[in-house]
Amino acid sequence: MNVWYNFAPVNEAQKYLLQSLSVAIVDDHALILEGFKSLMQGCGASGVETFLRAADLINTLPHHKFDIYIIDIGMPDIDGFELIDIIRGTYTDARIIVNTIHEEIWLLRRMLDKDVNAIMFKSTDFMQMVDAITAVMNGEQYFCPGLKKKLSSYKHRIEHPSDREIDILKALAMGYTSKEIAAMLFISENTVETHRKRLFTKLGARNMADLIVRAVARGYINASEIADNNRKGI
């Protein structure tokens, strides 16, 4: 697993900012936590607290509001997306930076839907995390270069489906017929067929299997959720 080994001195403005911040770092890898904390302290940050379990941070929330929350989305005890909701439920203005190894487009879209303040890949060097913290504290949203490149490649490649088309796409992936989808969504079967044709055009799919594969690859549907629903007979 990559950690921030590349290190360069922060500028004076960043050092001054870091000295005044309280930062919570949540990750289930002790080496990453200790390495990250050491680097942060080397940049002048003194208010850094680390948490190996999401539950430990949650227990701290009622008593301590941090300026920045840096969280790993793949925590074993509590789903990272649930953790975001809990933090924001406690402090609506919480500044959250997701620090993740996951680069799957459907997961990235979920992070974006949560309106987090920054998204960083763990392969990104440490100084870009300092840049992210600086941007977030200045009221800006920050995405690491790898994320920008990935999103840009999909943005320019296809025309995105509408929310209604994504609803239909998910239902198709779970094996529902056009008639069943029409009943579920309270629309006509002809409307379902129209959306279905548009989906094939927008994703450039040749058949239903190709449509689902392309939808998963572009992050419009979650393959694991579809598989779970199919196993449950939903």
Side-chain angles (χ1 to χ4, degrees):
M1 181 176 298
N2 292 322
V3 189
W4 300 276
Y5 292 115
N6 299 324
F7 179 70
V10 295
N11 62 44
E12 287 302 313
Q14 289 174 322
K15 187 171 183 179
Y16 180 79
L17 173 66
L18 290 172
Q19 286 175 342
S20 64
L21 292 183
S22 61
V23 181
I25 308 172
V26 187
D27 198 293
D28 61 325
H29 295 89
L31 286 176
I32 289 181
L33 284 179
E34 289 308 308
F36 196 6
K37 183 176 182 179
S38 176
L39 287 169
M40 290 284 288
Q41 290 174 337
C43 291
S46 57
V48 179
E49 293 191 33
T50 59
F51 301 88
L52 271 170
R53 300 189 315 142
D56 294 333
L57 172 64
I58 292 170
N59 291 335
T60 304
L61 286 177
H63 317 291
H64 190 170
K65 180 181 181 181
F66 292 89
D67 295 309
I68 294 279
Y69 299 85
I70 301 174
I71 69 170
D72 182 355
I73 211 72
M75 297 299 292
D77 60 331
I78 295 174
D79 177 78
F81 295 101
E82 182 182 352
L83 177 59
I84 292 171
D85 291 338
I86 292 171
I87 294 172
R88 286 266 168 78
T90 307
Y91 304 110
T92 56
D93 59 345
R95 302 179 184 93
I96 299 174
I97 297 176
V98 172
N99 180 41
T100 181
I101 62 170
H102 297 290
E103 301 185 16
E104 300 93 331
I105 192 67
W106 66 270
L107 274 174
L108 296 175
R109 288 190 185 281
R110 285 191 68 190
M111 297 175 206
L112 293 170
D113 288 342
K114 290 295 183 183
D115 198 28
V116 295
N117 301 88
I119 300 174
M120 305 294 294
F121 294 155
K122 287 188 177 181
S123 55
T124 305
D125 74 51
F126 175 73
M127 281 311 301
Q128 288 185 11
M129 178 60 80
V130 175
D131 290 340
I133 292 172
T134 303
V136 168
M137 290 304 298
N138 286 329
E140 303 168 8
Q141 198 171 37
Y142 187 96
F143 301 137
C144 69
L147 174 60
K148 288 181 180 178
K149 183 177 180 180
K150 186 175 286 286
L151 292 178
S152 177
S153 68
Y154 284 105
K155 179 179 180 180
H156 297 297
R157 192 179 303 169
I158 60 171
E159 181 184 358
H160 295 296
S162 67
D163 290 342
R164 174 60 84 190
E165 286 167 347
I166 289 176
D167 289 337
I168 291 171
L169 186 56
K170 291 177 180 178
L172 289 170
M174 286 188 280
Y176 289 107
T177 65
S178 294
K179 184 175 182 180
E180 290 170 330
I181 295 170
M184 287 189 297
L185 298 180
F186 303 103
I187 56 179
S188 71
E189 191 172 345
N190 284 338
T191 300
V192 174
E193 285 300 317
T194 298
H195 284 306
R196 177 172 169 155
K197 290 176 183 177
R198 287 176 181 169
L199 284 167
F200 273 87
T201 300
K202 288 182 176 181
L203 274 69
R206 299 181 300 274
N207 51 47
M208 182 57 66
D210 188 35
L211 180 70
I212 303 308
V213 168
R214 289 170 183 262
V216 171
R218 287 159 175 77
Y220 297 125
I221 57 178
N222 182 336
S224 60
E225 289 181 356
I226 297 299
D228 287 344
N229 287 337
N230 284 335
R231 282 196 294 270
K232 294 172 185 175
I234 296 176

